[in-house]
Amino acid sequence: MLPTENRLRRREDFATAVRRGRRAGRPFLVVHLCSGATDPHASGESAPPTRAGFVVSKAVGGAVVRNQVKRRLRHLMRDRLSVLPPGSLVVVRALPGAGDADHAQLARDLDAALQRLLGGGAR
């Protein structure tokens, strides 16, 4: 489970990450990263936390499958928050094949997308 301070909840924050951030697509996921964004809703903290949100549509599957995919993605992202710049906004969108993917496949896609967005991979 992601800690409360690392959850992306507001519609405006999702829109900011998707519109202003960089995007990396993989077979099961699309990851949007807006690095070092300032949060207008945060208190006067010097380094705002990295926040992540997830979009899992009905195209992925039924409610049980969607919730399972969201739980897996939250767990995977929790372990990767430390590699992202402080104040970053991350939106992970699951593609229709994500419902059939196992934990390891989602982890590989997420790692590859984050590596590309952080400058470690080629297009």
Side-chain angles (χ1 to χ4, degrees), residues 7-19:
R7 295 183 194 162
L8 199 60
R9 295 180 184 251
R10 292 188 172 91
R11 179 183 178 110
E12 303 88 33
D13 295 337
F14 274 88
T16 299
V18 171
R19 291 185 184 139

Side-chain angles (χ1 to χ4, degrees), residues 58-78:
K58 287 185 180 180
V60 172
V64 172
V65 173
R66 289 195 312 270
N67 285 320
Q68 182 180 34
V69 169
K70 280 188 278 190
R71 283 193 306 270
R72 286 178 177 170
L73 290 173
R74 276 196 304 264
H75 177 75
L76 291 169
M77 185 56 72
R78 180 186 65 192

Side-chain angles (χ1 to χ4, degrees), residues 8-54:
L8 199 60
R9 295 180 184 251
R10 292 188 172 91
R11 179 183 178 110
E12 303 88 33
D13 295 337
F14 274 88
T16 299
V18 171
R19 291 185 184 139
R20 295 186 187 162
R22 297 179 57 211
R23 178 182 71 214
R26 304 299 303 156
F28 299 116
L29 306 171
V30 176
V31 179
H32 299 268
L33 173 67
C34 187
S35 296
T38 58
D39 182 11
H41 307 292
S43 59
E45 300 173 8
S46 60
T50 299
R51 294 181 298 144
F54 305 93

